[in-house]
Amino acid sequence: MAAQFRAMEARALARLGDAEGCDLALSEAERQLSMRTADSDPAYIAYFDEVELAAEFGHCFRDLGRSVQATERGAGSIFGDGLNNRSDFFATMVQAEAYINQGEASQGFDIALSALRLGEGLKSARCVQYVRELQGRITDSMQRAAEFRDFTEQARSFRLWQQVGKQF
């Protein structure tokens, strides 16, 4: 539980732009998670493991503008095995945004399409918010690229993209 608490603290600090505080909280989350034993936590927090922490790293680094670190640390949180579609959707959208922020728009768009596929069965305002944030990161110059036109043509067929309603 302490690891998850520190990871949530790190997310909040990252959103506030406090890189130093975020880094300290992430380090502490890793330390706390490494001390976990089979009987140290209640069953309801058992889901919070190394994979979940990797997703938190991805979110934090994306929010801090550390796109390379977001793609490196967050990639281990995506399985796409159908067991955790909601978590996989969020982590995949973070990866897409991180690649877009790195200037790797084509790869980011491909990953975003994967996320939209994962999100087809999800009904969540938070999912819609992630799509909205992705759209907000797409610059005018990206919109003129052929890759973007291909991406939006495909993205329009997905329910979450349609829900956001922004037309490029």
Side-chain angles (χ1 to χ4, degrees):
M1 285 182 65
Q4 194 221 21
F5 171 78
R6 295 310 300 257
M8 294 299 100
E9 177 186 12
R11 288 263 304 264
L13 292 167
R15 282 282 186 170
L16 293 171
D18 182 351
E20 185 178 339
C22 176
D23 290 342
L24 289 170
L26 286 173
S27 291
E28 184 61 18
E30 272 188 315
R31 190 181 77 73
Q32 291 290 332
L33 193 62
S34 73
M35 296 183 336
R36 182 173 71 176
T37 63
D39 61 344
S40 64
D41 284 321
Y44 62 81
I45 196 69
Y47 77 92
F48 193 82
D49 57 11
E50 290 79 5
V51 173
E52 288 291 323
L53 186 56
E56 298 304 332
F57 270 90
H59 278 83
C60 289
F61 291 149
R62 178 212 49 195
D63 292 345
L64 290 171
R66 297 178 185 168
S67 300
V68 172
Q69 286 178 296
T71 55
E72 290 171 352
R73 291 298 302 259
S77 64
I78 304 167
F79 287 103
D81 57 8
L83 298 176
N84 296 299
N85 277 357
R86 190 167 186 267
S87 293
D88 286 346
F89 170 81
F90 295 135
T92 304
M93 287 298 285
V94 167
Q95 289 290 294
E97 286 187 44
Y99 277 105
I100 288 169
N101 291 343
Q102 288 177 48
E104 300 286 338
S106 182
Q107 187 166 1
F109 293 150
D110 288 344
I111 293 169
L113 288 172
S114 296
L116 290 170
R117 273 185 217 94
L118 286 168
E120 275 301 278
L122 302 174
K123 293 182 178 153
S124 160
R126 191 167 161 221
C127 291
V128 173
Q129 182 60 36
Y130 274 60
V131 173
R132 188 172 288 122
E133 287 178 12
L134 174 82
Q135 287 183 348
R137 295 189 194 279
I138 297 171
T139 65
D140 290 340
S141 63
M142 285 181 212
Q143 291 177 36
R144 291 188 289 274
E147 296 93 353
F148 178 73
R149 289 189 295 276
D150 293 342
F151 165 71
T152 55
E153 185 176 309
Q154 293 177 62
R156 284 186 187 116
S157 68
F158 293 103
R159 185 184 51 75
L160 285 171
W161 191 266
Q162 294 167 7
Q163 277 187 280
V164 172
K166 183 174 181 179
Q167 299 300 317
F168 288 94

